[in-house]
Amino acid sequence: MNEIIKEIEAAQVKEQIDEFNVGDTVKVYGKIKEGNRERIQIFEGTVLKRQGGSNRETFTVRKLSNGIGVEKTWPLHSPNVEKIEVVRRGKVRRAKLNYLRDRVGKKAKVKELVK
């Protein structure tokens, strides 16, 4: 039974995924359905966390919209996620950036990773 589930999950995994980590600023191109029309909407923000594995992996992106923090959790291998584009790399030392929720302004920034 366990092997059957693994085969089904392996079929749902996307082959091409852009490499990004926690702290990066990303643009998520998400498909939005409105009635019978379908369009792509861009959600740009900082990646707070990545969790899960295989086809169940999700990531949470946070942005400020009109002074209000908006968070959205996306399934990584969803057909509704068209692509993920990394805008800038962040330098962080932890896996989950929940402390950014309490911060506003310059304190909410993540330092840029310089290579």
Side-chain angles (χ1 to χ4, degrees):
M1 182 76 176
N2 196 11
E3 294 170 10
I4 298 170
I5 293 173
K6 286 183 180 179
E7 289 177 18
I8 294 170
E9 287 181 353
Q12 295 174 346
V13 173
K14 288 182 182 177
E15 295 86 26
Q16 187 78 24
I17 295 177
D18 297 329
E19 192 61 40
F20 68 96
N21 293 312
V22 175
D24 294 351
T25 302
V26 295
K27 284 185 183 179
V28 181
Y29 292 78
K31 290 181 185 173
I32 305 289
K33 271 192 173 180
E34 294 173 336
N36 56 358
R37 296 183 333 128
E38 196 174 275
R39 65 184 178 87
I40 293 177
Q41 187 174 20
I42 300 173
F43 190 89
E44 183 177 348
T46 306
V47 178
L48 289 187
K49 61 183 174 180
R50 276 181 81 162
Q51 61 187 15
S54 76
N55 72 327
R56 298 187 194 121
E57 187 171 356
T58 60
F59 63 100
T60 302
V61 181
R62 179 180 173 83
K63 74 172 185 177
L64 279 175
S65 179
N66 298 323
I68 299 171
V70 179
E71 286 184 21
K72 202 163 189 181
T73 303
W74 302 85
L76 188 61
H77 298 284
S78 171
N80 290 332
V81 176
E82 187 73 22
K83 69 175 181 175
I84 302 163
E85 184 181 303
V86 178
V87 178
R88 57 187 282 254
R89 301 272 178 195
K91 181 183 177 187
V92 293
R93 295 173 67 180
R94 46 186 80 223
K96 297 198 170 41
L97 305 179
N98 294 325
Y99 65 90
L100 288 180
R101 293 176 176 151
D102 302 328
R103 300 192 178 180
V104 184
K106 286 186 178 180
K107 288 189 275 183
K109 272 189 175 181
V110 175
K111 289 183 180 178
E112 190 166 1
L113 183 66
V114 179
K115 287 187 177 180

